[in-house]
């Protein structure tokens, strides 16, 4: 009886230790599934970007003027590669793990890619497209949405996009979310025209460009201040993790907090939203400065 009792204790301890090991392995498996399910490459988007790149090379050689800066293709392909990196590569999935990575993605999409892509378009090609009356966004060479109106509309929609009730609504209707994102992209290109238009004649003079740059920063600032205020007051949970957790084939323990724990500091701190707001302001400011300088260099050339 004593031997059986000892064996029973050993067996029980063995079973308990195996169960704990299995639980640990299950946690690691859940984390792996959480990452592997979304770390995929968007091949159709890659094919589209490759086709756009080939088309751009052909059009640039055909419509390039003799006084056209040779660095224009660098700007365009930098924007094209960045677009795929933040929307079609595994970096797009990583942007949903934390709020700061998401804001970095949106900053690249709306503050870096549009001006660089516009600066990369040859002026002759842009004027040819602008004068085509079949296009809806132009009317005898004039855009329906003036740049300042587009800037104000973008600021309002960008602020609403990150409010909790709007996020919940867009998460329930993917079609509405896609329409919302497309509208933001159209407005982003329109609001960058006074600074980075392919036609130098459409860009603002230096003094007016500085005023427009200040207005752009003032319009974007409310969204950033809300993130900073939420972090300082008490913080708010990652609004994207709640959208992902029900879609994952993992245990209920794998949530946004667990996913955030996989990332280094400061992407999982209580002040992560404040970091996101400061990051977005910094990227926007840097983009404004670079675009103004590059635009002025093109005018001098």
């Amino acid at each position: 009886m004593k031997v059986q009792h000892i064996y029973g204790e050993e067996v029980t301890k063995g079973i308990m230790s195996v169960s704990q090991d299995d639980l640990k392995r299950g946690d690691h498996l859940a984390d792996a599934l959480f990452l592997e399910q979304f770390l995929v490459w968007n091949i159709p988007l890659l094919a589209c970007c490759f086709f756009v790149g080939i088309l751009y090379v052909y059009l640039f050689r055909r419509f390039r003027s003799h006084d056209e800066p040779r660095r224009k293709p660098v700007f365009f392909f930098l924007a094209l590669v960045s677009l795929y990196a933040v929307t079609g590569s595994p970096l797009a999935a990583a942007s949903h793990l934390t709020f700061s990575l998401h804001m970095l993605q949106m900053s690249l999409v709306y503050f870096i890619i549009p001006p660089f892509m516009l600066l990369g378009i040859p002026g002759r090609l842009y004027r040819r497209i602008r004068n085509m009356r079949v296009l809806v966004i132009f009317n005898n060479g004039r855009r329906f949405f003036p740049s300042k109106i587009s800037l104000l509309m973008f600021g309002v929609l960008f602020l609403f996009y990150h409010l909790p009730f709007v996020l919940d609504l867009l998460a329930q209707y993917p079609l509405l979310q896609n329409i919302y994102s497309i509208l933001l992209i159209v407005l982003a290109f329109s609001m960058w025209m006074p600074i980075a238009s392919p036609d130098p004649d459409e860009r603002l003079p230096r003094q007016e460009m500085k005023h427009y740059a200040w207005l752009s920063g003032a319009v974007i600032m409310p969204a950033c201040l809300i993130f900073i205020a939420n972090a300082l007051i008490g913080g708010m949970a990652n609004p994207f993790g709640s959208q992902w957790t029900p879609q994952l084939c993992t245990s209920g323990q794998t949530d946004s907090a667990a996913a955030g724990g996989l990332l280094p500091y400061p992407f999982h701190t209580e002040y992560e939203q404040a970091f996101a707001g400061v990051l977005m302001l910094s990227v926007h400011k840097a983009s404004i400065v670079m675009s103004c300088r590059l635009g002025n260099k093109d005018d001098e050339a």
Side-chain angles (χ1 to χ4, degrees), residues 248-294:
L248 299 177
C249 299
T250 60
S251 63
Q253 299 176 352
T254 306
D255 54 6
S256 60
L262 299 175
L263 298 173
Y265 178 89
F267 295 110
H268 59 278
T269 67
E270 59 180 344
Y271 298 111
E272 196 253 344
Q273 279 197 64
F275 176 74
V278 174
L279 180 64
M280 186 172 66
L281 282 175
S282 302
V283 174
H284 180 262
K285 180 64 176 180
S287 179
I288 285 285
V289 173
M290 286 190 300
S291 300
C292 290
R293 290 182 179 180
L294 293 173

Side-chain angles (χ1 to χ4, degrees), residues 9 13 16 26 35 42 46 58-60 67 71 82 111 138 146 160 162 170 173-174 189 213 230 262 287:
E9 289 181 351
K13 291 179 180 179
M16 292 180 62
L35 294 175
N42 191 328
L46 179 62
Y58 168 76
L59 294 176
F60 182 80
D67 56 347
R71 61 176 178 271
S82 300
F111 303 149
F138 294 107
F160 285 168
H162 292 95
L170 295 178
Y173 302 98
F189 273 93
N230 283 333
L262 299 175
S287 179

Side-chain angles (χ1 to χ4, degrees), residues 178-215:
N178 292 333
I179 295 175
Y180 203 104
S181 300
I182 292 174
L183 179 58
L184 282 176
I185 292 176
V186 172
L187 293 174
F189 273 93
S190 180
M191 73 179 188
W192 280 102
M193 292 296 288
I195 297 177
S197 174
D199 187 0
D201 296 334
E202 291 188 357
R203 299 174 194 166
L204 295 173
R206 288 193 177 185
Q207 193 62 30
E208 296 183 15
M209 190 178 291
K210 291 181 180 180
H211 176 74
Y212 186 83
W214 177 87
L215 179 62

Side-chain angles (χ1 to χ4, degrees), residues 36-58:
E36 291 178 1
Q37 184 174 359
F38 294 94
L39 296 185
V40 294
W41 298 86
N42 191 328
I43 303 302
L45 181 60
L46 179 62
C48 291
C49 291
F50 187 75
F51 172 77
V52 171
I54 295 177
L55 181 63
Y56 172 82
V57 172
Y58 168 76

